[in-house]
Amino acid sequence: MMAFTIAGRELRTMFLSPLAWSILGVIQLILAYMFLAQLDYYLMLQPRIAGMEDAPGITDLIVVPLFGNAGVILLLVTPLLTMRLISEERRNRTLSLLFTAPVSMTEIILGKYLGVLAFLMIMVVMITAMPISLLLGGGLDFGKLAACVLALSLLLAGFAAVGLFISSLAQQPTVAAISTFGALLGLWIIDWSGKEEGQGSGLLEYLSMLRHYESLLKGLVSTTDLAYFILFILAFLVLSVHTLDNDRLQK
């Protein structure tokens, strides 16, 4: 399938760029620092919670906050990865070459999406390695860990879908990055607004990606949250295909 060929090309292109390596290194350093700080906090609390009933465990006090912080930090970083997906092709005037190639718009969008998604999943694996290292000195709640990994994977897949769609609209990668960051931050603000307005804000809370993310981080894997992320991702991928198809018809 051509989509996988395009995805492989996108992934190789990312690793040829110093930006991708810089992002991998910086994110790992920041999250490793937060992980160690949370571990230190847990060790400080351990004597106090030792005698408590239903005391939070190592997964609740270290792993869940780590994935929570990772979601926020990657909200800032993902636009840098998605900004060039389509807008750079347009800026370099190579988009016309893609339109003349024997490949459908759906395959182009899927290929671009799967390429950046593969890079983001590498980051998820690197982040997951930190809590796995805790097995050297204690136990983990593997159910909650799996829910955290699933939550971060779905969140990043959603971020990538939004970034790809905005990149398909933008003429310049920088504009795409700033617009994607604004859109993702808007989802954050919707969640804040929902908490402040009370009962009438149920719809806004439901639309918030972070609300569903936080629900999954607690280990509450519900079909509502899964369906939200899947529909969210599909909606932005379909919009991206339509945007690219409109561009092709105007050429």
Side-chain angles (χ1 to χ4, degrees), residues 161-192:
V162 174
L164 175 60
F165 170 62
I166 294 178
S167 181
S168 71
L169 295 172
Q171 297 290 332
Q172 297 291 333
T174 309
V175 175
I178 295 171
S179 302
T180 302
F181 172 71
L184 296 178
L185 189 61
L187 293 168
W188 183 276
I189 293 171
I190 283 178
D191 187 45
W192 284 358

Side-chain angles (χ1 to χ4, degrees), residues 55-239:
I58 195 168
T59 309
D60 297 305
L61 292 175
I62 298 178
V63 179
V64 173
L66 172 70
F67 279 84
N69 291 330
V72 176
I73 292 172
L74 290 171
L75 180 148
L76 307 174
V77 170
T78 305
L80 299 176
L81 296 169
T82 59
M83 65 180 182
R84 45 165 292 279
L85 289 175
I86 302 294
S87 59
E88 192 169 71
E89 301 273 5
R90 183 176 286 113
R91 186 185 63 175
N92 295 336
R93 301 183 186 282
T94 54
L95 200 57
S96 302
L97 296 177
L98 278 178
F99 291 156
T100 57
V103 56
S104 69
M105 298 303 106
T106 303
E107 287 176 320
I108 293 174
I109 290 298
L110 276 181
K112 298 276 186 183
Y113 180 70
L114 292 176
V116 74
L117 188 61
F119 183 85
L120 291 170
M121 290 304 106
I122 291 172
M123 296 176 75
V124 172
V125 171
M126 291 173 66
I127 293 168
T128 306
M130 284 186 262
I132 292 294
S133 68
L134 293 173
L135 289 174
L136 295 173
L140 282 174
D141 184 334
F142 285 102
K144 281 190 178 177
L145 176 61
C148 289
V149 173
L150 176 65
L152 185 60
S153 301
L154 288 172
L155 186 74
L156 294 184
F159 287 172
V162 174
L164 175 60
F165 170 62
I166 294 178
S167 181
S168 71
L169 295 172
Q171 297 290 332
Q172 297 291 333
T174 309
V175 175
I178 295 171
S179 302
T180 302
F181 172 71
L184 296 178
L185 189 61
L187 293 168
W188 183 276
I189 293 171
I190 283 178
D191 187 45
W192 284 358
S193 173
K195 288 175 182 174
E196 290 172 0
E197 292 178 15
Q199 295 181 349
S201 60
L203 178 61
L204 293 179
E205 287 188 3
Y206 181 78
L207 291 176
S208 168
M209 289 180 77
L210 290 170
R211 176 180 173 275
H212 295 279
Y213 181 55
E214 288 170 354
S215 176
L216 288 170
L217 284 184
K218 294 173 185 171
L220 305 173
V221 180
S222 70
T223 52
T224 303
D225 295 325
L226 297 179
Y228 168 84
F229 277 111
I230 291 169
L231 291 174
F232 185 92
I233 293 163
L234 287 176
F236 279 99
L237 290 181
V238 169
L239 287 172

